[in-house]
Amino acid sequence: MIKVENLHKYFGKLEVLKGIDCEIKEKEVVCVIGPSGSGKSTFLRCINLLEEITDGAVYINGVKVNDAKTDINDIRTEVGMVFQQFNLFPHMTVIDNIIMAPMLIRKMSKSDAEKLALELLDKVGLRAKADNYPQQLSGGQQQRVAIARALAMKPKVMLFDEPTSALDPEMVNEVLDVMKQLAVEGMTMVVVTHEMGFAREVADRAIFMDGGYIVEEGDPEDLFGNPQNERTKAFLGKVL
Amino acid sequence: MDFFDLRWDIIWNYRELFLRGIWVTLVLTLSGYVGGIILGVLIGLGETSKRKLIYWPSKLYVDLFRGTPMLVQILIIHLALIPAVFGQSFGFMVSGITALILNSAAYNAEIIRAGIQSIDKGQMEAARSLGLTHNQAMRKIILPQAFRRMIPPLGNEFIALLKDSSLVTVIAASDILYAAKVVAGAYNRFWEPYLVAALLYLILTYLVTKVVAYIEKRFSNDYNPRKKREGRVEQ
């Protein structure tokens, strides 16, 4: 579903990704962990080209993302993204946040889009908040709306960029629960996270990144329970 | 002391001149402002462009028109630029409006640039990640938010322009200040005509602040035009 080949990314002279190779299959849930500055968010953002790719290639369903002939907007409609800072549109109500893209890009009628939006809000447990503005919601609620907004485009993959890192501790679980539900339903997911419990419980595979490389990857039970690489051991020793 | 012996009747005798002055001031200001917004949007967007051929001319324009006095600009446009380009003058109205448009465009451009750049980068990223093009994201997400932040400074700019429009009296435009000068010259009295001119400007700027305050409220998130979702059927 997603194939990353020898991905390099520079910010100016700083090399943030130093050759990433990785493949993510349909319905797979992959968690990316690692210390800050390891390049895991940049890796995620290269997949839907929010960051320009310096060298290498990313393929989604066989289509090369960083190709001049590829319409990146088409690709992005298939790849949902959830951000650390939620990034809801503050000038729109919750429901308008959700129906905007389906109406504009999928040319869905307003009534169909609203029906879909209400279903998604049901799913994340926020139907009652449809007509509120984002700033009237708690952080956890905002993030759940952001997930619903991304799902409204019916994406084939969901990318999560530290979705719970900006939340108060008591709100982390309500967001993780929604993500677990998605995983159970068979959504293909790439999750950059510091929630080791979530990674261990939900992920099919865990990837440990450090210094711009994938240092170790594998079944979460093995990676967390029996890490092979010294850097993985050191990192897990500090966070677990 | 003649401060306590004001002769308002001389103003009344010249009321038509003052009424015409109000009209001229309003036409100059409104035309200059609307033109200045349109040109300012283009230049302001130019200032946010990554293309150097668009960015640098926009930046240069703003620097030129913000860095020189409007009085000098008015004189250059009326006495030098327009005669040189067209071989004749088209009167104070054309020169005055041109000068006000060109000048306010520079200030509006800065307001628009700052408004756009004040919107969090994540907004553009979220919109793009949903598949919107850059232009769609600008139109649907960035500009509506930026516009709200621009309302107060754009209102200030309107008030500043209204007052600065009095500078066109140097090219004999018959605006409010011009009316006051005529009365002052005719009677050799200064309190009455200039106080009236000041009062007229004050009334106009006061009305503008009221309009701006209304617009600000109208575009805030709290404003809920007749509960627009009342009719939605709950499935």
Side-chain angles (χ1 to χ4, degrees), chain A residues 153-179:
Chain A
M153 290 299 282
K154 301 206 193 305
K156 300 204 169 68
V157 191
M158 286 284 283
L159 309 177
F160 293 85
D161 188 3
E162 303 196 25
T164 57
S165 298
L167 297 176
D168 291 339
E170 75 268 26
M171 294 172 183
V172 167
N173 279 329
E174 62 190 65
V175 172
L176 292 182
D177 286 344
V178 170
M179 291 168 62

Side-chain angles (χ1 to χ4, degrees), chain B residues 71 74-75 78-79 166-173 175 177 181:
Chain B
L71 188 54
I74 292 170
L75 290 172
H78 184 66
L79 300 174
S166 62
L167 292 169
V168 295
T169 42
V170 294
I171 56 171
D175 70 333
L177 185 60
K181 278 168 77 176

Side-chain angles (χ1 to χ4, degrees), chain A residues 2-41:
Chain A
I2 300 176
K3 200 170 160 206
V4 180
E5 280 179 359
N6 194 28
L7 174 62
H8 288 262
K9 170 68 187 173
Y10 284 82
F11 286 114
K13 287 198 172 115
L14 182 71
E15 190 175 19
V16 182
L17 298 178
K18 300 173 180 168
I20 304 283
D21 288 283
C22 145
E23 198 162 341
I24 291 150
K25 292 184 210 67
E26 205 176 328
K27 301 198 172 183
E28 197 177 14
V29 177
V30 175
C31 280
V32 184
I33 58 168
S36 46
S38 59
K40 51 196 192 309
S41 281

Side-chain angles (χ1 to χ4, degrees), chain B residues 112-224:
Chain B
I112 284 152
R113 177 196 61 74
I116 291 171
Q117 290 178 347
S118 75
I119 303 300
D120 184 77
K121 211 166 106 271
Q123 291 289 307
M124 178 58 95
E125 289 185 347
R128 296 305 303 272
S129 79
L130 288 165
L132 275 71
T133 65
H134 184 270
N135 284 344
Q136 286 173 328
M138 269 306 212
R139 218 172 52 238
K140 288 269 179 189
I141 307 303
I142 307 297
L143 290 177
Q145 293 183 58
F147 175 66
R148 286 169 197 213
R149 295 190 191 176
M150 291 173 202
I151 294 170
L154 285 177
N156 286 341
E157 174 53 23
F158 189 92
I159 289 169
L161 194 69
L162 183 74
K163 294 184 291 179
D164 287 348
S165 73
S166 62
L167 292 169
V168 295
T169 42
V170 294
I171 56 171
S174 50
D175 70 333
I176 294 174
L177 185 60
Y178 177 84
K181 278 168 77 176
V182 168
V183 174
Y187 288 88
N188 202 28
R189 296 182 65 90
F190 303 101
W191 276 109
E192 298 90 342
Y194 288 121
L195 277 181
V196 167
L199 184 68
L200 290 175
Y201 281 113
L202 187 63
I203 291 170
L204 292 179
T205 53
Y206 178 76
L207 291 177
V208 173
T209 42
K210 286 287 152 200
V211 173
V212 172
Y214 171 76
I215 295 175
E216 225 174 299
K217 193 167 153 57
R218 168 71 181 72
F219 285 96
S220 80
N221 275 356
D222 309 329
Y223 184 88
N224 200 348

Side-chain angles (χ1 to χ4, degrees), chain A residues 77-109:
Chain A
T77 61
E78 308 285 323
V79 182
M81 184 151 194
V82 174
F83 300 85
Q84 185 177 352
Q85 298 297 339
F86 330 134
N87 295 341
L88 292 178
F89 307 131
H91 60 304
M92 296 178 177
T93 58
V94 163
I95 193 158
D96 285 341
N97 263 276
I98 300 173
I99 66 174
M100 188 274 296
M103 284 175 65
L104 187 68
I105 294 163
R106 300 260 194 251
K107 307 292 174 208
M108 217 184 253
S109 74

